[in-house]
Amino acid sequence: GLIMLPCPFCGKQVTKEDLDDALYPSGVTWREGEFGRVYGGNHTHQNQCYQFVCQSHKDGCGATMDGDSKEDVVSKWNGRR
């Protein structure tokens, strides 16, 4: 499974419940283009971007992280130290 380190801003621990509630599709899609990734629009072969939010209603700070996949979000979040 995905394991996220505590929030790099407020230190809130990320629980399995947080992952279920706060790691979700951001509404942006991407596809591989001739010169790299192309974002937005309705592509035939589209991939969903994701976002994670440190939930302020659960004592978090509201910090967000976006990525091209769930794994990309987790990798970026865990690297912000």
Side-chain angles (χ1 to χ4, degrees):
L2 300 173
I3 296 173
M4 293 181 78
L5 297 174
C7 178
F9 299 103
C10 72
K12 179 184 182 310
Q13 295 292 323
V14 179
T15 66
K16 166 111 174 55
E17 182 181 67
D18 292 334
L19 279 173
D20 292 341
D21 291 345
L23 181 60
Y24 54 84
S26 66
V28 177
T29 60
W30 64 272
R31 66 175 172 83
E32 293 296 344
E34 184 178 353
F35 300 105
R37 290 190 174 163
V38 178
Y39 294 87
N42 291 317
H43 306 300
T44 304
H45 300 291
Q46 63 187 17
N47 298 283
Q48 182 64 57
C49 293
Y50 280 81
Q51 180 177 72
F52 179 77
V53 179
C54 183
Q55 296 177 306
S56 55
H57 66 280
K58 292 185 178 177
D59 299 322
C61 66
T64 63
M65 178 60 67
D66 294 286
D68 291 351
S69 66
K70 287 181 180 181
E71 294 77 15
D72 188 38
V73 172
V74 171
S75 176
K76 289 178 176 178
W77 183 268
N78 289 345
R80 292 175 81 180
R81 291 247 162 284

XYZ file of all heavy atoms in Angstrom:
632
model
N 0.824 -1.202 0.000
C 0.000 0.000 0.000
C 0.857 1.249 0.000
O 2.075 1.205 0.128
N 0.183 2.355 -0.114
C 0.851 3.646 -0.117
C 1.106 4.097 1.319
O 0.226 4.000 2.168
C -0.023 4.681 -0.832
C -0.351 4.386 -2.295
C -1.361 5.382 -2.825
C 0.915 4.437 -3.126
N 2.297 4.576 1.585
C 2.649 5.078 2.903
C 3.132 6.509 2.749
O 4.048 6.790 1.982
C 3.749 4.220 3.551
C 3.229 2.802 3.781
C 4.210 4.849 4.854
C 4.289 1.840 4.266
N 2.484 7.418 3.474
C 2.864 8.824 3.415
C 3.469 9.243 4.740
O 2.974 8.898 5.808
C 1.662 9.694 3.083
C 1.142 9.447 1.673
S -0.266 10.482 1.236
C 0.553 12.024 0.891
N 4.554 10.015 4.651
C 5.189 10.581 5.826
C 4.298 11.693 6.385
O 3.401 12.169 5.711
C 6.561 11.136 5.445
C 7.572 10.096 4.947
C 8.842 10.796 4.469
C 7.888 9.086 6.028
N 4.568 12.129 7.635
C 3.781 13.231 8.192
C 3.870 14.474 7.306
O 4.811 14.644 6.530
C 4.442 13.479 9.549
C 5.104 12.189 9.889
C 5.549 11.607 8.581
N 2.902 15.359 7.471
C 2.881 16.602 6.691
C 4.184 17.365 6.899
O 4.612 17.579 8.037
C 1.698 17.461 7.124
S 1.640 19.049 6.257
N 4.830 17.795 5.806
C 6.099 18.517 5.941
C 5.924 19.926 6.517
O 6.893 20.562 6.883
C 6.633 18.573 4.507
C 5.462 18.344 3.636
C 4.478 17.537 4.415
N 4.690 20.405 6.607
C 4.444 21.755 7.119
C 3.986 21.761 8.574
O 4.504 22.513 9.381
C 3.422 22.471 6.237
C 3.895 22.627 4.833
C 3.417 21.805 3.834
C 4.856 23.572 4.506
C 3.871 21.928 2.527
C 5.322 23.701 3.208
C 4.829 22.883 2.216
N 3.007 20.907 8.901
C 2.458 20.941 10.263
C 2.793 19.698 11.081
O 2.566 19.664 12.281
C 0.949 21.140 10.223
S -0.005 19.711 9.642
N 3.316 18.642 10.446
C 3.704 17.442 11.168
C 2.582 16.449 11.435
O 2.801 15.421 12.066
N 1.364 16.744 10.934
C 0.242 15.831 11.147
C 0.550 14.459 10.548
O 1.008 14.359 9.420
C -1.038 16.383 10.521
C -2.249 15.468 10.695
C -3.460 16.034 9.969
C -4.705 15.194 10.148
N -4.558 13.775 9.882
N 0.312 13.408 11.319
C 0.473 12.048 10.817
C -0.604 11.759 9.780
O -1.754 12.157 9.955
C 0.355 11.040 11.967
C 1.449 11.144 13.000
C 2.806 10.736 12.463
O 2.931 9.815 11.666
N 3.840 11.437 12.896
N -0.239 11.081 8.710
C -1.200 10.703 7.671
C -1.641 9.272 7.943
O -0.832 8.346 7.915
C -0.577 10.831 6.267
C -1.573 10.411 5.208
C -0.107 12.263 6.022
N -2.927 9.091 8.210
C -3.476 7.770 8.526
C -4.051 7.119 7.272
O -4.216 7.766 6.235
C -4.605 7.897 9.562
O -5.695 8.617 8.965
C -4.131 8.622 10.822
N -4.361 5.838 7.365
C -5.017 5.133 6.253
C -6.337 5.818 5.921
O -6.694 5.970 4.759
C -5.246 3.668 6.642
C -6.201 2.931 5.707
C -5.538 1.883 4.884
C -6.455 1.040 4.058
N -7.360 1.719 3.152
N -7.048 6.268 6.947
C -8.314 6.979 6.730
C -8.085 8.269 5.939
O -8.863 8.611 5.050
C -8.973 7.291 8.070
C -10.313 7.971 7.938
C -10.926 8.299 9.292
O -10.370 9.164 10.005
O -11.947 7.682 9.625
N -6.998 8.993 6.261
C -6.667 10.210 5.515
C -6.422 9.889 4.042
O -6.868 10.620 3.155
C -5.422 10.895 6.090
C -5.639 11.485 7.465
O -6.789 11.823 7.807
O -4.641 11.613 8.204
N -5.700 8.795 3.782
C -5.431 8.407 2.396
C -6.735 8.117 1.670
O -6.926 8.514 0.519
C -4.520 7.179 2.339
C -3.034 7.436 2.510
C -2.272 6.124 2.599
C -2.500 8.270 1.362
N -7.656 7.419 2.346
C -8.940 7.088 1.723
C -9.773 8.336 1.465
O -10.464 8.428 0.453
C -9.733 6.120 2.609
C -9.087 4.747 2.703
O -8.244 4.422 1.833
O -9.422 4.006 3.644
N -9.714 9.309 2.388
C -10.556 10.505 2.305
C -9.940 11.630 1.483
O -10.664 12.394 0.844
C -10.840 11.068 3.706
C -11.731 10.173 4.532
O -12.368 9.273 3.954
O -11.783 10.369 5.757
N -8.621 11.782 1.530
C -8.002 13.006 1.033
C -7.050 12.824 -0.142
O -6.424 13.777 -0.581
C -7.263 13.705 2.178
N -6.909 11.608 -0.672
C -6.125 11.377 -1.892
C -7.123 11.011 -2.972
O -7.677 9.916 -2.974
C -5.106 10.256 -1.688
C -4.210 9.916 -2.878
C -3.379 11.123 -3.309
C -3.297 8.749 -2.561
N -7.409 11.975 -3.854
C -8.518 11.799 -4.786
C -8.198 12.417 -6.146
O -7.291 13.238 -6.263
C -9.784 12.422 -4.201
C -9.616 13.869 -3.793
C -9.739 14.898 -4.715
C -9.293 14.205 -2.483
C -9.563 16.217 -4.350
C -9.115 15.519 -2.101
C -9.256 16.528 -3.035
O -9.064 17.831 -2.677
N -8.960 12.035 -7.178
C -8.745 12.630 -8.504
C -8.939 14.143 -8.449
O -9.898 14.636 -7.838
C -9.820 11.971 -9.367
C -10.135 10.692 -8.671
C -9.994 10.999 -7.203
N -8.034 14.871 -9.078
C -8.087 16.335 -9.031
C -8.978 16.922 -10.126
O -9.251 18.112 -10.110
C -6.680 16.917 -9.174
O -6.161 16.637 -10.470
N -9.387 16.091 -11.081
C -10.195 16.600 -12.187
C -9.370 16.960 -13.410
O -9.902 17.291 -14.452
N -8.047 16.904 -13.283
C -7.144 17.181 -14.402
C -6.695 15.844 -14.985
O -6.468 14.890 -14.252
C -5.923 17.999 -13.934
C -4.939 18.215 -15.077
C -6.364 19.321 -13.339
N -6.593 15.785 -16.303
C -6.110 14.571 -16.960
C -4.858 14.902 -17.761
O -4.569 16.061 -18.046
C -7.175 13.969 -17.903
O -7.504 14.930 -18.906
C -8.425 13.572 -17.131
N -4.117 13.850 -18.115
C -2.920 14.038 -18.940
C -2.746 12.879 -19.893
O -3.290 11.816 -19.706
C -1.671 14.218 -18.078
C -1.304 13.026 -17.236
C -1.762 12.747 -15.975
C -0.428 11.958 -17.588
N -1.210 11.578 -15.521
C -0.392 11.061 -16.491
C 0.327 11.650 -18.719
C 0.372 9.902 -16.498
C 1.088 10.503 -18.708
C 1.111 9.645 -17.614
N -1.963 13.136 -20.939
C -1.572 12.108 -21.900
C -0.160 12.430 -22.347
O 0.324 13.548 -22.182
C -2.515 12.080 -23.100
C -2.453 13.317 -23.949
C -3.306 13.212 -25.204
N -3.374 14.483 -25.901
C -2.466 14.957 -26.748
N -1.370 14.251 -27.000
N -2.604 16.122 -27.332
N 0.497 11.408 -22.888
C 1.830 11.628 -23.444
C 1.689 12.296 -24.802
O 0.979 11.815 -25.676
C 2.585 10.297 -23.585
C 2.934 9.627 -22.268
C 3.909 10.416 -21.406
O 4.576 11.346 -21.907
O 4.001 10.088 -20.212
N 2.364 13.426 -24.975
C 2.349 14.140 -26.242
C 3.700 14.034 -26.925
O 4.633 13.407 -26.412
N 3.816 14.663 -28.043
C 5.052 14.612 -28.831
C 6.245 15.192 -28.062
O 7.368 14.727 -28.184
C 4.854 15.382 -30.141
C 6.033 15.311 -31.079
C 5.785 16.053 -32.376
O 4.650 16.514 -32.608
O 6.741 16.159 -33.167
N 5.991 16.219 -27.243
C 7.078 16.893 -26.528
C 6.945 16.743 -25.013
O 7.406 17.574 -24.258
C 7.101 18.376 -26.903
C 7.322 18.602 -28.368
C 6.269 18.991 -29.175
C 8.562 18.386 -28.948
C 6.456 19.189 -30.532
C 8.765 18.583 -30.300
C 7.702 18.981 -31.097
N 6.306 15.680 -24.554
C 6.126 15.465 -23.118
C 4.648 15.386 -22.773
O 3.798 15.255 -23.655
N 4.341 15.491 -21.522
C 2.958 15.336 -21.074
C 2.130 16.571 -21.410
O 2.595 17.702 -21.275
C 2.915 15.054 -19.577
C 3.446 13.659 -19.324
C 3.229 13.194 -17.926
N 3.644 11.787 -17.854
C 3.903 11.139 -16.755
N 3.743 11.730 -15.592
N 4.282 9.884 -16.798
N 0.905 16.307 -21.816
C -0.055 17.356 -22.141
C -1.197 17.231 -21.137
O -1.767 16.149 -20.972
C -0.591 17.184 -23.583
C -1.619 18.256 -23.905
C 0.551 17.208 -24.579
N -1.535 18.347 -20.474
C -2.547 18.321 -19.422
C -3.844 18.968 -19.884
O -3.831 19.910 -20.665
C -2.028 19.050 -18.176
C -0.868 18.334 -17.543
C 0.428 18.576 -17.960
C -1.076 17.396 -16.554
C 1.496 17.899 -17.401
C -0.023 16.703 -15.985
C 1.256 16.969 -16.410
O 2.305 16.295 -15.856
N -4.960 18.449 -19.353
C -6.276 19.019 -19.610
C -6.925 18.429 -20.836
O -6.328 17.676 -21.593
N -8.195 18.759 -20.999
C -8.930 18.280 -22.167
C -9.401 16.854 -22.012
O -9.106 16.180 -21.031
N -10.141 16.407 -22.981
C -10.635 15.034 -22.992
C -9.825 14.248 -24.008
O -10.065 14.338 -25.197
C -12.121 15.009 -23.356
C -12.979 15.610 -22.272
O -12.755 15.346 -21.107
N -13.948 16.416 -22.653
N -8.844 13.523 -23.502
C -7.960 12.768 -24.376
C -8.450 11.331 -24.502
O -9.040 10.782 -23.580
C -6.535 12.757 -23.812
C -5.999 14.128 -23.543
N -5.860 15.070 -24.530
C -5.578 14.717 -22.401
C -5.375 16.175 -24.011
N -5.198 15.985 -22.716
N -8.179 10.737 -25.635
C -8.564 9.346 -25.854
C -7.875 8.436 -24.854
O -8.506 7.588 -24.238
C -8.191 8.917 -27.288
O -8.805 9.825 -28.195
C -8.683 7.526 -27.570
N -6.585 8.616 -24.687
C -5.810 7.805 -23.736
C -5.403 8.701 -22.587
O -4.269 9.155 -22.507
C -4.583 7.202 -24.420
C -4.928 6.321 -25.570
N -5.552 5.104 -25.415
C -4.780 6.488 -26.898
C -5.749 4.554 -26.598
N -5.295 5.376 -27.519
N -6.332 8.987 -21.701
C -6.050 9.940 -20.631
C -5.741 9.239 -19.323
O -6.179 8.128 -19.067
C -7.196 10.916 -20.461
C -8.513 10.296 -20.033
C -9.634 11.318 -20.047
O -9.524 12.372 -20.652
N -10.715 10.999 -19.371
N -4.955 9.912 -18.541
C -4.593 9.455 -17.208
C -5.093 10.499 -16.221
O -5.034 11.693 -16.487
C -3.074 9.326 -17.080
C -2.534 8.299 -18.055
O -2.656 7.123 -17.833
N -1.949 8.775 -19.149
N -5.553 10.057 -15.075
C -6.111 10.949 -14.080
C -5.027 11.480 -13.150
O -4.231 10.704 -12.624
C -7.163 10.193 -13.262
C -7.850 11.021 -12.220
C -8.663 12.155 -12.804
O -9.550 11.959 -13.611
N -8.348 13.371 -12.413
N -4.988 12.802 -12.944
C -4.119 13.395 -11.940
C -4.797 13.253 -10.584
O -6.015 13.127 -10.490
C -3.881 14.874 -12.238
S -2.936 15.181 -13.744
N -3.997 13.272 -9.527
C -4.516 13.150 -8.167
C -4.014 14.289 -7.299
O -3.025 14.951 -7.626
C -4.086 11.811 -7.546
C -4.940 10.667 -8.016
C -4.698 10.067 -9.244
C -6.011 10.210 -7.256
C -5.498 9.028 -9.698
C -6.815 9.171 -7.700
C -6.555 8.591 -8.918
O -7.349 7.578 -9.368
N -4.716 14.509 -6.191
C -4.330 15.528 -5.220
C -4.497 14.956 -3.814
O -5.427 14.183 -3.559
C -5.214 16.767 -5.364
C -4.873 17.879 -4.395
C -5.732 19.104 -4.632
O -6.912 19.106 -4.335
N -5.122 20.132 -5.194
N -3.595 15.351 -2.916
C -3.736 15.014 -1.502
C -3.819 16.312 -0.727
O -3.098 17.264 -1.025
C -2.551 14.194 -0.988
C -2.670 13.868 0.476
C -3.519 12.856 0.903
C -1.976 14.596 1.423
C -3.659 12.562 2.252
C -2.106 14.309 2.780
C -2.957 13.290 3.193
N -4.703 16.346 0.276
C -4.872 17.524 1.112
C -4.662 17.153 2.570
O -5.265 16.188 3.056
C -6.289 18.126 0.934
C -6.468 19.341 1.821
C -6.556 18.474 -0.523
N -3.819 17.895 3.268
C -3.662 17.743 4.721
C -4.914 18.387 5.324
O -5.053 19.612 5.338
C -2.389 18.440 5.193
S -2.072 18.235 6.962
N -5.820 17.564 5.781
C -7.179 18.000 6.094
C -7.255 18.906 7.326
O -7.021 18.482 8.453
C -8.068 16.784 6.282
C -8.181 15.972 4.993
C -9.004 14.735 5.187
O -8.741 13.939 6.066
N -10.012 14.577 4.346
N -7.634 20.173 7.076
C -7.705 21.148 8.165
C -8.813 20.810 9.155
O -8.703 21.134 10.339
C -7.888 22.563 7.606
O -9.009 22.625 6.757
N -9.869 20.134 8.706
C -10.944 19.770 9.637
C -10.557 18.578 10.517
O -11.314 18.185 11.395
C -12.255 19.499 8.888
C -12.217 18.304 8.000
N -11.644 18.337 6.738
C -12.669 17.045 8.173
C -11.758 17.150 6.189
N -12.368 16.340 7.030
N -9.371 18.016 10.272
C -8.845 16.932 11.113
C -7.494 17.350 11.692
O -6.553 16.575 11.738
C -8.704 15.644 10.308
C -10.034 15.045 9.875
C -9.816 13.708 9.194
C -11.139 13.082 8.797
N -10.931 11.812 8.082
N -7.383 18.615 12.079
C -6.184 19.182 12.709
C -4.988 19.286 11.776
O -3.851 19.383 12.230
C -5.791 18.397 13.974
C -6.888 18.438 15.029
O -7.519 19.500 15.174
O -7.109 17.409 15.685
N -5.222 19.264 10.477
C -4.156 19.474 9.506
C -4.061 20.944 9.125
O -4.783 21.785 9.665
N -3.176 21.254 8.182
C -2.911 22.653 7.833
C -3.473 23.065 6.473
O -3.379 24.222 6.092
C -1.412 22.915 7.872
S -0.482 22.019 6.610
N -4.022 22.110 5.714
C -4.582 22.455 4.410
C -3.595 22.403 3.258
O -3.955 22.723 2.125
N -2.357 22.010 3.519
C -1.363 21.913 2.448
C -1.829 20.889 1.411
O -2.466 19.898 1.751
C -0.010 21.495 3.012
N -1.529 21.140 0.138
C -1.929 20.223 -0.925
C -0.717 19.787 -1.738
O 0.299 20.476 -1.782
C -2.950 20.873 -1.888
O -2.325 21.983 -2.531
C -4.195 21.315 -1.161
N -0.850 18.631 -2.379
C 0.173 18.127 -3.288
C -0.542 17.494 -4.469
O -1.464 16.700 -4.280
C 1.051 17.092 -2.580
C 2.115 16.481 -3.478
S 3.268 17.675 -4.171
C 4.114 18.222 -2.706
N -0.134 17.872 -5.666
C -0.701 17.321 -6.891
C 0.318 16.435 -7.583
O 1.527 16.656 -7.463
C -1.096 18.456 -7.853
C -2.222 19.297 -7.297
O -3.360 18.804 -7.302
O -1.969 20.425 -6.847
N -0.178 15.442 -8.326
C 0.706 14.570 -9.079
C -0.023 13.898 -10.217
O -1.250 13.975 -10.327
N 0.732 13.208 -11.051
C 0.181 12.559 -12.237
C -0.427 11.193 -11.937
O -0.974 10.555 -12.826
C 1.258 12.420 -13.313
C 1.657 13.775 -13.897
O 0.998 14.786 -13.592
O 2.626 13.820 -14.662
N -0.286 10.716 -10.699
C -0.877 9.456 -10.253
C -0.867 9.476 -8.728
O -0.242 10.354 -8.117
C -0.061 8.260 -10.751
O 1.225 8.263 -10.143
N -1.533 8.511 -8.110
C -1.490 8.415 -6.647
C -0.046 8.260 -6.181
O 0.391 8.912 -5.232
C -2.319 7.227 -6.160
C -3.802 7.424 -6.255
C -4.532 6.205 -5.719
C -6.026 6.371 -5.813
N -6.749 5.197 -5.270
N 0.700 7.395 -6.862
C 2.091 7.134 -6.481
C 2.964 8.385 -6.625
O 3.857 8.623 -5.813
C 2.655 5.978 -7.311
C 2.000 4.635 -7.053
C 0.616 4.463 -7.705
O 0.248 5.263 -8.592
O -0.100 3.534 -7.305
N 2.695 9.187 -7.662
C 3.446 10.420 -7.880
C 3.189 11.412 -6.748
O 4.116 12.056 -6.246
C 3.057 11.023 -9.233
C 3.925 12.192 -9.641
O 5.146 12.161 -9.385
O 3.388 13.143 -10.249
N 1.934 11.523 -6.316
C 1.592 12.413 -5.202
C 2.339 11.982 -3.940
O 2.948 12.804 -3.257
C 0.066 12.431 -4.941
C -0.257 13.200 -3.665
C -0.681 13.026 -6.120
N 2.300 10.683 -3.637
C 2.952 10.171 -2.428
C 4.459 10.406 -2.494
O 5.072 10.853 -1.516
C 2.629 8.674 -2.224
C 3.475 8.077 -1.107
C 1.142 8.482 -1.938
N 5.072 10.159 -3.629
C 6.512 10.359 -3.794
C 6.881 11.829 -3.580
O 7.851 12.146 -2.871
C 6.937 9.903 -5.186
O 8.297 10.176 -5.399
N 6.116 12.740 -4.158
C 6.386 14.173 -3.994
C 6.180 14.604 -2.553
O 6.979 15.362 -1.996
C 5.483 15.002 -4.915
C 5.842 14.901 -6.374
C 4.870 15.710 -7.200
C 5.220 15.726 -8.656
N 4.232 16.496 -9.453
N 5.080 14.136 -1.936
C 4.783 14.481 -0.541
C 5.913 14.009 0.376
O 6.390 14.759 1.214
C 3.469 13.821 -0.133
C 3.005 14.137 1.254
C 3.274 13.434 2.392
C 2.197 15.246 1.653
N 2.671 14.024 3.468
C 1.990 15.140 3.045
C 1.604 16.302 0.963
C 1.235 16.062 3.762
C 0.853 17.224 1.683
C 0.672 17.083 3.065
N 6.340 12.766 0.196
C 7.362 12.195 1.055
C 8.730 12.839 0.840
O 9.587 12.789 1.703
C 7.456 10.683 0.856
C 6.256 9.955 1.435
O 5.488 10.508 2.220
N 6.088 8.719 1.036
N 8.945 13.475 -0.309
C 10.220 14.120 -0.611
C 10.330 15.545 -0.131
O 11.378 16.157 -0.249
N 9.265 16.105 0.404
C 9.256 17.507 0.835
C 9.737 17.615 2.275
O 8.976 17.886 3.175
C 7.856 18.090 0.707
C 7.424 18.219 -0.727
C 6.012 18.681 -0.798
N 5.955 20.121 -0.621
C 4.820 20.814 -0.645
N 3.668 20.214 -0.818
N 4.833 22.113 -0.477
N 11.002 17.423 2.503
C 11.543 17.490 3.865
C 12.678 18.489 3.896
O 13.429 18.637 2.995
C 12.058 16.104 4.276
C 10.890 15.146 4.456
C 10.773 14.767 5.896
N 9.562 14.206 6.350
C 8.421 14.841 6.594
N 8.281 16.085 6.302
N 7.405 14.233 7.110
